[in-house]
Amino acid sequence: MSAIRVSGCIPLKGEISIQGSKNAALPMMAAALLHKGLTVLTNVPRIQDTACMMKILEALGCSCIRRGCSVFIDAGEIKKTQVPQEYVRSMRSSIILLGALLGRMGQGNCCYPGGCLIGARPIDLHLMALKKMGAVIREEDGIIEACAGKDGRLKGTEIVFSYPSVGATEQALLAAVLAEGVTIIRGAAMEPEISQLCGFLNNMGAVICGAGTKNLMIQGVRSLRDSAFRVEGDRIVAGTYGAAVMAAGGDVTLKGVRPSALKLPLALFSRSGGKVTVSESSGRLQATGIGCEKEGRIRISSKGPAGPLALKTGPYPEFPTDLQSPFMAFLAAGRGVSRIEERVFEGRFGIAGELEKMGALIRLEGKTAVIYGAGSLKGSAVKAADLRGGAALAVAALAAKGETVIEDCRHIERGYEDICRDLSALGAGIQWIGE
Ligand code: UD1
C-alpha cells in the first residue's frame, strides 16, 4: 500500500495550478450517458475516481478515451443498464448513474451503496426524486431496480428536497433533462459543482433555469447534441493547499480556481492570521451555469502559528465539510482554542485520533470538536482513513517537527492527482515511499 513521508516545518513558497474538480467532473461524465453521441470534457483530473467512472461507462457500452486532461466519451450505443457492483462499492457517487440511465434507456440497475467511514449516507432523497418522476423502484437483496413506467419516459413534476443534498440534486437533474414536460426542483443544493453541471447540460442542449439558486426548473427535451466543456478548478484541493500554507507558513499562489467559490474558507484563513489576496482579472472565462466568471489567482501567505477559529460545516454557501479535516489539521498546530461543528456527515472526526498521535489536543463532544492549539506538532506514524482526512494528515505533517509517515494513502489518490508533486513544487519535504 502506498505511503507518504513528510519532513515538516519547511515554509511553502511558489505558484501552482490547481487540478480540475473531482465533484464537478464525475456528474458530467455520468451525464454524458444522456446523449447518443460525443461529449468532450477538458481539465478532467487524473485521479482514481474519474478512472473508475470511465470504467463504468465502458462497462455500459460507451467508448471512453483519455488524452492528457481531456476525456472523450462516445455514448452512441448503450449495451447494458446495470452499473457494475464493484464500482458502486468503491465510488458511492456512481449512484447518480441511475437517473442518467432512466433518462436515456428508461431503466437502470444499481446496487445499494451502503455507508462509509464518514457516515451512513442514505439515498432516500435520490429515490424519492426518481419515484416522483414516475420511476417504479424495486429494492431486493441490496439491488435497486428502476424502470421509467409504461412508455419508458420519466415525467416532469415538482420535487421538494427536505435537505439540499448534492447527489440527490444531481440525480434529479440528470433524470429530468430528457423527461416529458417541466420538472421543478425546490430546495436544491447550490454548490458550485451543481451550477457547473447545469452549465454543462445546457451546453449539451438541455434547458435548465435557476442554476446557483435553490429552485431549478428543467424543461425536458427529446435529445441532446455533441458538446465540449471545461471542468473548473477544484475548490477543495485549493482549500487543502491553502490549509497547508496556514500549517507550514510561507507564501503561495494558487492558479486556476474561481476565488468566489471559496469565499468563506478564504475569509477564515484571513481571520486566522493569514494574508489572502485574490485576482480574477488574469484568469480564463469559466461558464458556471449562471453566466461566466473568471478563474483567477489566490495568494495566501502566513507567518506564524494560525490563530483560533470557530466554524460550522453546512450546505453551500456555508463552510464545506470537505475542508473540515484540513482546517482541523492547521488549527491543531496553531494557537488558542478552536471549535468545529460538523453538521453534514456524522462520522467526520476520524482524523482527530491520528492528529493526537502527532501531539494535537482535541476533545470531541458529539458533533463538535474542541481543538486546543498545540503551537506545533511532532512527526509520527499515522494512517489515512478517508480521502479528505488523509490529505489533512499531510497538512498536519507539514507543521510537525521531524518526520511523519502517512500509511494507506490510496484514499488520497481518489481525489488528489498527486499531492506530493504539488506540495513539493512549493518546497515541501514530501514524497511517496512506494507500495
Ligand atoms: C457530495 C460530495 C462530497 C461532499 C458532499 C457535501 C461528490 C461526489 N461528493 O457528496 O464530497 O462532502 O456532497 O458537500 O460530489 N443525505 C440523506 N439522504 C440522501 C442523500 C443525502 O439523508 O438521499 C444526507 C447525507 O447523509 C449527508 C447529507 O445529506 O448527511 C449531505 O449529503 P450529500 O449532499 O448528498 O453529499 P454527497 O452527494 O454524498
Side-chain angles (χ1 to χ4, degrees):
M1 259 173 239
S2 53
I4 288 175
R5 183 189 294 132
V6 185
S7 301
C9 294
I10 305 172
L12 306 180
K13 198 165 174 41
E15 199 173 280
I16 46 168
S17 295
I18 298 298
Q19 68 184 63
S21 161
K22 166 176 96 68
N23 290 353
L26 290 174
M28 289 180 197
M29 293 171 80
L33 268 186
L34 292 169
H35 170 52
K36 275 187 202 162
L38 185 66
T39 301
V40 182
L41 286 167
T42 61
N43 203 29
V44 178
R46 281 166 287 195
I47 51 175
Q48 271 178 20
D49 276 11
T50 53
C52 179
M53 186 59 94
M54 282 175 74
K55 284 193 193 137
I56 296 177
L57 294 175
E58 279 169 351
L60 297 174
C62 301
S63 139
C64 301
I65 299 172
R66 180 186 266 282
R67 291 274 179 273
C69 284
S70 299
V71 171
F72 299 74
I73 303 165
D74 184 345
E77 206 183 328
I78 303 295
K79 296 191 185 103
K80 285 190 186 155
T81 54
Q82 183 158 14
V83 185
Q85 273 203 24
E86 67 264 33
Y87 297 125
V88 184
R89 298 249 147 83
S90 63
M91 191 176 65
R92 294 183 39 88
S93 58
S94 51
I95 186 76
I96 57 166
L97 286 157
L98 211 50
L101 283 168
L102 273 172
R104 167 78 185 269
M105 306 295 287
Q107 57 176 315
N109 273 14
C110 193
C111 73
Y112 204 90
C116 68
L117 273 171
I118 62 170
R121 302 184 89 170
I123 53 163
D124 54 323
L125 299 172
H126 294 241
L127 300 184
M128 177 277 286
L130 297 177
K131 283 181 190 161
K132 247 339 253 326
M133 298 180 77
V136 179
I137 295 183
R138 285 196 328 152
E139 292 174 67
E140 220 176 291
D141 299 331
I143 304 285
I144 304 161
E145 248 182 68
C147 170
K150 276 187 219 120
D151 63 353
R153 198 168 176 210
L154 294 174
K155 307 280 175 285
T157 183
E158 182 170 351
I159 296 164
V160 182
F161 285 127
S162 52
Y163 180 89
S165 154
V166 172
T169 302
E170 291 166 351
Q171 183 82 270
L173 271 168
L174 298 196
V177 164
L178 297 178
E180 187 186 327
V182 174
T183 302
I184 292 173
I185 305 175
R186 297 199 189 278
M190 297 191 286
E191 266 67 5
E193 293 76 21
I194 301 282
S195 309
Q196 277 272 297
L197 179 63
C198 293
F200 163 78
L201 288 166
N202 282 343
N203 192 47
M204 283 173 100
V207 181
I208 303 170
C209 304
T213 74
K214 58 182 180 207
N215 295 317
L216 301 171
M217 190 173 80
I218 306 105
Q219 167 70 61
V221 294
R222 277 279 177 189
S223 62
L224 300 169
R225 56 177 177 249
D226 289 358
S227 68
F229 197 86
R230 183 174 189 278
V231 177
E232 78 174 350
D234 196 310
R235 66 189 169 107
I236 303 301
V237 172
T240 306
Y241 295 164
V245 182
M246 296 301 292
D251 186 346
V252 162
T253 299
L254 307 170
K255 296 185 297 183
V257 270
R258 261 188 316 123
S260 60
L262 268 167
K263 237 182 205 157
L264 185 50
L266 295 182
L268 290 173
F269 288 145
S270 299
R271 198 176 301 164
S272 182
K275 189 168 173 231
V276 178
T277 37
V278 299
S279 71
E280 311 203 18
S281 54
S282 55
R284 87 181 79 200
L285 273 181
Q286 176 72 51
T288 61
I290 38 176
C292 279
E293 277 188 50
K294 278 199 165 164
E295 285 186 345
R297 301 159 76 86
I298 302 172
R299 183 172 171 192
I300 303 170
S301 60
S302 163
K303 283 207 174 96
L309 292 175
L311 63 94
K312 293 175 181 173
T313 66
Y316 191 84
E318 294 179 52
F319 186 83
T321 173
D322 285 349
L323 284 178
Q324 185 257 102
S325 305
F327 269 63
M328 181 186 277
F330 84 74
L331 292 171
R335 55 189 164 76
V337 182
S338 296
R339 296 178 78 84
I340 296 182
E341 194 185 332
E342 173 54 62
R343 298 188 303 168
V344 182
F345 290 114
E346 69 271 24
R348 222 171 192 182
F349 285 143
I351 69 150
E354 297 304 294
L355 289 175
E356 280 173 347
K357 290 182 191 162
M358 301 175 73
L361 301 164
I362 298 169
R363 199 175 75 233
L364 299 183
E365 297 169 352
K367 288 179 173 181
T368 303
V370 184
I371 301 137
Y372 301 90
S376 73
L377 299 174
K378 60 176 194 298
S380 180
V382 289
K383 241 185 197 156
D386 68 84
L387 164 57
R388 305 300 170 188
L393 290 175
V395 169
L398 296 173
K401 287 185 186 127
E403 194 174 278
T404 298
V405 173
I406 308 167
E407 286 176 3
D408 246 2
C409 290
R410 63 197 158 89
H411 295 290
I412 302 178
E413 293 169 282
R414 282 192 40 227
Y416 295 78
E417 275 192 349
D418 190 340
I419 198 167
C420 294
R421 172 199 68 194
D422 290 346
L423 292 171
S424 56
L426 298 174
I430 182 168
Q431 63 192 46
W432 294 102
I433 48 174
E435 296 296 300

